[in-house]
Amino acid sequence: MTQRGAMTGRARLLAAARREPVDVTPVWFMRQAGRSLPEYRALRAQHDFLTVAKTPELAAEVTLMPVERFGVDGAVLFADIMLPLDGMGVPFRIDPGVGPVIERPIQTAADVAALRILPVEEATPYVLDALRLLRGELGERAALLGFAGAPFTLACYLVEGRSSREYPKTKALMLGAPGVWHDLMATLTEVTVRYLQGQIDAGADAVQLFDSWLGLISAPVYEEYVFPYTKSIFRALAGLAPTIHFSTGTSQLLELIGDAGSDVVSVDWRVPLDEAWRRIGAEKGIQGNLDPTVLLAPSDVIAREASDVLRRAAGRPGHIFNLGHGILPQTDPDAMAQVVDLVHSWQPASVIA
Ligand code: CP3
């Protein structure tokens, strides 16, 4: 460890993503720029979600909110995993409290064949403009994080049409019409690679692939229907910028996820961080893994649980502190501030002794 405060937020997060030494552990929160912040709710009272996400000045303003309020080391672009669907010619809306809704879900080979693959500057120019704006405004305060939904998670929404507990139509298509499934995954992979490469070109310092619903499938199903696509995305991005692979509820898949090719694996709270790290492999960085509901508990519980995560990471290079999934909207921002301060003032016992 170098002296605390010796690194900027940007340098700290990027060093951890490369498993290089840091002054203190970097920290950011998934969904940090959202409904838990009063300044976000005030802005949202004036503009709907997609207007904010598609107006570069507004998206940049929201992205900066948690950097300014908490001093987090990562600024995740305010956007949504559904935005690339615009360029693919798939109309969707985001309903408050529900999430994404696709008007005409994908069902057939013809539906898949009709999906367009456009140059990213044409498909989602506002995302690239927001990143360019942010790279300038952020300076060294925080690393700028781009992101995309992973093909499996996007397919869940495209086939099901909306959020679901089991995604039965999606799994039925995957297992029952594998040819259609593989064509859909190949198209989504191509779109995702272009989208993330475009984000890196526009100034994203690192990118995260969100595979939020991966917990629905077994290891053999993952290996056959999903893993090759994930792997080809990380292969296409190798050397361009550090990559983070996020999923949740995937303790059955950790070894395979470790082999999928990202630099960092984001794990949830269901497996203790040290055990998860051992299973994904010591040559990977790890992100996580505080349970987001802990932030609803009293501050002594927050301190105990956040310290437990840090103790398990044990100051080894390559840990990025985060939650195991997004901040819950009812979270008190003071709890988020407490965690940032605790992580930034943590010294592993070996250093104190
Ligand atoms: O701060 C950040 O993390 C950046 C912004 C971000 C949003 N969506 C903004 C958003 C990110 C990284 C996402 C990713 C996303 N979107 C995922 C992957 C992450 C995860 O949580 O697993 C998924 C599955 C989606 C799809 C989606 N979009 C859902 C489930 C919802 C929430 C529906 C609801 O109202 O609870 C959305 C809408 C959405 N995306 C909101 C935000 C802040 C809420 C919209 C609002 O302001 O009303």
Side-chain angles (χ1 to χ4, degrees):
M1 291 238 171
T2 29
Q3 195 192 348
R4 178 182 171 201
M7 298 177 95
T8 65
R10 184 188 190 196
R12 183 181 290 140
L13 191 140
L14 293 176
R18 297 191 199 100
R19 290 197 312 117
E20 291 164 7
V22 286
D23 57 346
V24 292
T25 303
V27 52
W28 67 284
F29 302 105
M30 288 180 272
R31 296 282 176 105
Q32 63 190 13
R35 286 169 292 185
S36 55
L37 299 186
E39 55 272 37
Y40 173 77
R41 294 197 299 270
L43 190 122
R44 274 280 281 105
Q46 293 178 359
H47 310 278
D48 67 31
F49 172 75
L50 285 176
T51 302
V52 181
K54 294 186 186 186
T55 308
E57 292 73 19
L58 294 176
E61 183 182 339
V62 176
T63 302
L64 291 171
M65 285 174 180
V67 177
E68 272 149 18
R69 189 189 257 265
F70 305 118
V72 282
D73 302 301
V76 59
L77 175 69
F78 188 81
D80 195 80
I81 59 167
M82 305 308 281
L83 296 180
L85 270 51
D86 263 351
M88 299 178 75
V90 180
F92 68 92
R93 55 178 207 273
I94 305 248
D95 285 355
V98 177
V101 179
I102 311 276
E103 283 153 30
R104 282 175 282 106
I106 300 283
Q107 288 164 342
T108 63
D111 294 338
V112 174
L115 296 172
R116 298 187 311 222
I117 303 179
L118 295 183
V120 66
E121 290 281 359
E122 246 174 82
T124 41
Y126 45 83
V127 165
L128 307 181
D129 288 341
L131 288 167
R132 290 185 193 109
L133 209 57
L134 276 161
R135 193 53 269 155
E137 287 184 17
L138 262 177
E140 299 303 310
R141 286 182 287 171
L144 180 55
L145 306 173
F147 71 89
F152 176 76
T153 291
L154 291 176
C156 283
Y157 283 113
L158 280 168
V159 176
E160 216 71 29
R162 54 170 59 228
S163 293
S164 151
R165 211 158 61 90
E166 307 278 2
Y167 290 91
K169 290 184 191 145
T170 311
K171 289 170 77 173
L173 179 88
M174 176 172 71
L175 300 169
V180 178
W181 174 261
H182 285 293
D183 286 347
L184 174 60
M185 290 295 277
T187 301
L188 290 169
T189 298
E190 174 72 26
V191 169
T192 304
V193 166
R194 288 172 181 237
Y195 188 53
L196 290 174
Q197 284 175 342
Q199 291 186 36
I200 295 165
D201 286 344
D205 293 311
V207 291
Q208 178 156 320
L209 189 71
F210 280 99
D211 218 344
S212 304
W213 310 138
L214 210 50
L216 291 166
I217 55 179
S218 67
V221 169
Y222 178 62
E223 226 175 332
E224 179 165 353
Y225 298 95
V226 179
F227 179 79
Y229 302 99
T230 312
K231 203 168 172 153
S232 79
I233 290 173
F234 289 124
R235 202 183 304 119
L237 299 174
L240 300 180
T243 53
I244 308 171
H245 185 192
F246 165 85
S247 64
T248 174
T250 45
S251 57
Q252 75 281 18
L253 306 178
L254 283 184
E255 286 80 3
L256 281 166
I257 288 172
D259 288 341
S262 66
D263 298 299
V264 178
V265 175
S266 192
V267 296
D268 78 7
W269 59 92
R270 291 174 179 87
V271 180
L273 188 105
D274 44 349
E275 186 188 328
W277 208 345
R278 187 176 45 70
R279 289 180 54 199
I280 62 175
E283 73 295 348
K284 296 262 157 194
I286 194 163
Q287 176 172 275
N289 71 342
L290 189 66
D291 181 340
T293 61
V294 166
L295 269 64
L296 308 180
S299 63
D300 57 322
V301 177
I302 296 175
R304 185 189 72 210
E305 296 298 317
S307 301
D308 183 63
V309 170
L310 288 159
R311 231 183 328 268
R312 290 175 188 279
R316 285 173 285 174
H319 179 218
I320 299 171
F321 193 102
N322 205 319
L323 306 175
H325 204 167
I327 284 270
L328 297 166
Q330 65 269 42
T331 305
D332 182 343
D334 290 347
M336 299 164 75
Q338 183 195 343
V339 172
V340 173
D341 293 344
L342 185 145
V343 175
H344 280 166
S345 52
W346 177 264
Q347 295 289 341
S350 58
V351 172
I352 295 166

